[in-house]
Amino acid sequence: MSQEAVIAASKAYPKPAQTFQYGTAGFRMKADLLPSVVFRVGLLAALRSRYKNGQVIGVMITASHNPPADNGVKLIDPMGEMLESSWEAYGTALANAEDDQAVYDYYTHLEQKFNIKSSVTPQVIYGSDTRESSPALVQALKDALDAVGVKSQAFGAVTTPQLHYLVRCLNTEGTDHAYGKPTLEGYYSKLSTAFNHLMTNRSNGSVTVDCANGVGGPALRELQKHLNPDSITIIVTNDDTETFSKLNSQSGADYVKTNQRLPPSVTAQPLARYASLDGDADRIVYYYVDAKTSTFHLLDGDKIATLAASFIGDLVHHSGITDFSIGVVQTAYANGSSTAYIEKQGLPTVCTPTGVKHLHHAALAYDCGVYFEANGHGTVLFSPSALQRIFTHEPESPAQATAITHLKNITELINQTVGDALSDLLLVEVILAHKAWTPDLWDACYTDLPNRLEKAEVVDRNAFKTTDAERKLTHPAGLQDQIDALVGKYDQARSFVRPSGTENVVRVYAEAATRTQADELAQKVKALLR
Ligand code: 16G
Ligand code: ZN
């Protein structure tokens, strides 16, 4: 790698007058501001790979549920996790370096700081969602990787969780904890094989999936080819990835969760199952309309978490495996009823700040850690020792043998690297089929407290500082006391204010015993921010 090569390549991607920050999910903003950022993220990925002794690092170009004009970029660490947070600051610094020379200087500064050897060949794989801006950003990335001699591999349009899967597979290939075949075919085959086993002699009718006109559409169509058609019919809708302006528009998990209503394109049949993915297919929510009043009912991340935790808990119980800890990790947005329901089942719950990396980390504390954000992002993690026990347990009865077989397949069905809408879809379908539950029966586990999410424009969101997993404000001084005083006036009420990690706004959440109370509380708390 020569100084000339880096500087010459960097020249093609001048930094706009803008300050960048590696946020909750990487860099995310209007796509036209991103070429220099993506180029520099490519340099960071190379360093990260060399720092990790040449293990493969992933770079995903996506802005998830954001509008079509946005894009974003984030790094994936060797085991398929999000980039270690201490490195986010290096990404931020590199993205903000004023000119090409400063980029090179900071790059060599990091090399020295970490004593990164030049003898190691860095390896990076990358992919993108289906946005119009993605190919040009992929080119910026490629130019950076080439300039510093990275051995790279392009995977084209992939879902975010697919890239996480591929990174982990590549880094574990040939070891005793190999995760799977490091190809997209390997991904589809791993999930579908487990699904087809779990659905043997079972049929679950049909589910209609709104793909937000994003990369989840083609991926789901491909996945479906591998599924036993007698077990499930997946009706794929909103899968137009050619009309760029349709991405996440009037569709997708974020639309359904935020508006708490059907996508306009969906005419729902009573008690039929519907699901919506987001633009990069790492989030999923379910919903249905009831038979009596055709009212819309959302089955969000909290409902998926409780479904998964209780199903896995039952399987463990029936398998004869003992001393097996199952915990559920949530954020402040988790509906109060869901937390109460989980605790009533005798399972521990933990609350972490928003953002997958926090939940993921907390979930590692259990043999089986189920984590979901209410917005539908989540997965289930099995610890290495839990996997070992599941795969070596000697059943003492046919019932135990069946439970063990199911558990083994569940661990294969779930994408344990990160929340994966396709894997979660199959997991929910399996559980509903095993329980013979229609969506209303699933929904009846507990009744959500009515809630409202608002956002407020403020002069400086950084003036808002939180504690207690974002459930309380420490700054601005005195504001939390005012919120508490309002909350005290309503039944079963809860409210919190937190600065967004992805937008320049402050979010206000309120829940209470009735719809009127929840709405009123949200408005009054929001009014405190003016
Ligand atoms: C990011 C997070 C998501 C979180 C959201 C909150 C990841 C991969 N994504 O999209 O989990 O729910 O931010 O956004 O961590 P906010 O801070 O703007 O409310
Ligand atoms: Zn997403």
Side-chain angles (χ1 to χ4, degrees), residues 394-406:
E394 293 291 345
E396 287 168 4
S397 69
Q400 286 194 357
T402 305
I404 285 287
T405 306
H406 289 339

Side-chain angles (χ1 to χ4, degrees), residues 128 130 155-163 165-166 169 179-197 214-228 234 277 280-281 412-415 420-423 425-426:
S128 70
T130 53
F155 279 92
V158 287
T159 72
T160 296
Q162 284 177 333
L163 200 68
Y165 164 90
L166 290 164
C169 290
Y179 193 64
K181 245 181 115 215
T183 59
L184 287 174
E185 178 56 31
Y187 169 88
Y188 294 119
S189 153
K190 178 172 177 172
L191 264 56
S192 59
T193 304
F195 178 83
N196 291 338
H197 280 310
V215 66
L220 183 56
R221 285 200 184 285
E222 194 54 42
L223 176 63
Q224 190 173 18
K225 289 185 197 156
H226 295 70
L227 305 178
N228 180 349
I234 298 177
L277 319 180
D280 63 338
E412 296 280 306
L413 179 65
I414 295 169
N415 185 339
D420 181 337
L422 302 187
S423 161
L425 172 80
L426 298 185

Side-chain angles (χ1 to χ4, degrees), residues 63-68 129 131 211-214 244-255 277-280:
S64 186
H65 59 276
N66 284 38
D129 66 19
R131 288 164 201 267
C211 300
N213 297 309
F244 298 120
S245 60
K246 285 193 180 171
L247 176 67
N248 296 322
S249 170
Q250 304 281 306
S251 63
D254 201 61
Y255 176 91
L277 319 180
D278 74 338
D280 63 338

Side-chain angles (χ1 to χ4, degrees), residues 28 62-65 74 160 278-283 377:
R28 201 182 284 183
T62 178
S64 186
H65 59 276
K74 57 186 168 188
T160 296
D278 74 338
D280 63 338
D282 60 358
R283 279 168 63 179
H377 192 140

Side-chain angles (χ1 to χ4, degrees), residues 53-343:
N53 258 319
Q55 288 188 85
V56 178
I57 297 295
V59 182
M60 182 68 196
I61 293 176
T62 178
S64 186
H65 59 276
N66 284 38
D70 290 6
N71 214 327
V73 61
K74 57 186 168 188
L75 290 193
I76 303 169
D77 258 356
M79 282 306 110
E81 346 74 304
M82 318 282 268
L83 173 68
E84 184 186 306
S85 42
S86 64
W87 273 60
E88 293 174 2
Y90 310 135
T92 300
L94 206 48
N96 290 314
E98 264 325 304
D99 53 30
D100 308 320
Q101 185 65 45
V103 168
Y104 179 77
D105 291 346
Y106 193 74
Y107 182 87
T108 49
H109 159 75
L110 288 177
E111 270 182 332
Q112 280 154 19
K113 179 181 165 83
F114 291 109
N115 191 17
I116 292 175
K117 295 184 196 54
S118 55
S119 55
V120 178
T121 304
Q123 300 191 73
V124 173
I125 66 169
Y126 54 93
S128 70
D129 66 19
T130 53
R131 288 164 201 267
E132 188 171 15
S133 58
S134 289
L137 294 175
V138 164
Q139 189 58 50
L141 176 67
K142 179 89 173 56
D143 287 351
L145 301 177
D146 289 349
V148 290
V150 173
K151 186 176 160 218
S152 68
Q153 193 182 351
F155 279 92
V158 287
T159 72
T160 296
Q162 284 177 333
L163 200 68
H164 283 255
Y165 164 90
L166 290 164
V167 168
R168 176 129 159 200
C169 290
L170 285 164
N171 287 314
T172 55
E173 211 177 5
T175 71
D176 57 4
H177 52 284
Y179 193 64
K181 245 181 115 215
T183 59
L184 287 174
E185 178 56 31
Y187 169 88
Y188 294 119
S189 153
K190 178 172 177 172
L191 264 56
S192 59
T193 304
F195 178 83
N196 291 338
H197 280 310
L198 283 157
M199 292 295 286
T200 305
N201 298 327
R202 289 173 208 270
S203 170
N204 208 29
S206 71
V207 56
T208 302
V209 183
D210 149 30
C211 300
N213 297 309
V215 66
L220 183 56
R221 285 200 184 285
E222 194 54 42
L223 176 63
Q224 190 173 18
K225 289 185 197 156
H226 295 70
L227 305 178
N228 180 349
D230 297 334
S231 305
I232 185 93
T233 303
I234 298 177
I235 302 163
V236 181
T237 66
N238 292 333
D239 63 336
D240 177 359
T241 55
E242 316 260 286
T243 317
F244 298 120
S245 60
K246 285 193 180 171
L247 176 67
N248 296 322
S249 170
Q250 304 281 306
S251 63
D254 201 61
Y255 176 91
V256 173
K257 171 75 182 163
T258 311
N259 298 296
Q260 309 205 6
R261 74 163 90 100
L262 294 170
S265 60
V266 172
T267 315
Q269 301 302 316
L271 299 185
R273 294 188 307 285
Y274 298 86
S276 286
L277 319 180
D278 74 338
D280 63 338
D282 60 358
R283 279 168 63 179
I284 184 168
V285 294
Y286 266 75
Y287 42 94
Y288 71 101
V289 301
D290 62 42
K292 260 202 201 127
T293 57
S294 287
T295 307
F296 169 85
H297 297 267
L298 180 68
L299 296 153
D300 63 1
D302 300 341
K303 284 260 153 98
I304 299 175
T306 53
L307 185 73
S310 66
F311 183 70
I312 293 169
D314 286 348
L315 284 180
V316 170
H317 178 71
H318 291 132
S319 72
I321 296 177
T322 51
D323 296 325
F324 190 97
S325 63
I326 300 180
V328 180
V329 183
Q330 305 185 304
T331 70
Y333 291 108
N335 198 277
S337 298
S338 73
T339 314
Y341 174 80
I342 297 161
E343 288 173 352

Side-chain angles (χ1 to χ4, degrees), residues 24-25 28 74 82 354-356 373 375 377 498 500-502 507:
T24 326
R28 201 182 284 183
K74 57 186 168 188
M82 318 282 268
T354 304
V356 172
E373 291 190 305
N375 66 21
H377 192 140
R498 59 173 282 276
S500 159
T502 63
R507 305 213 190 274

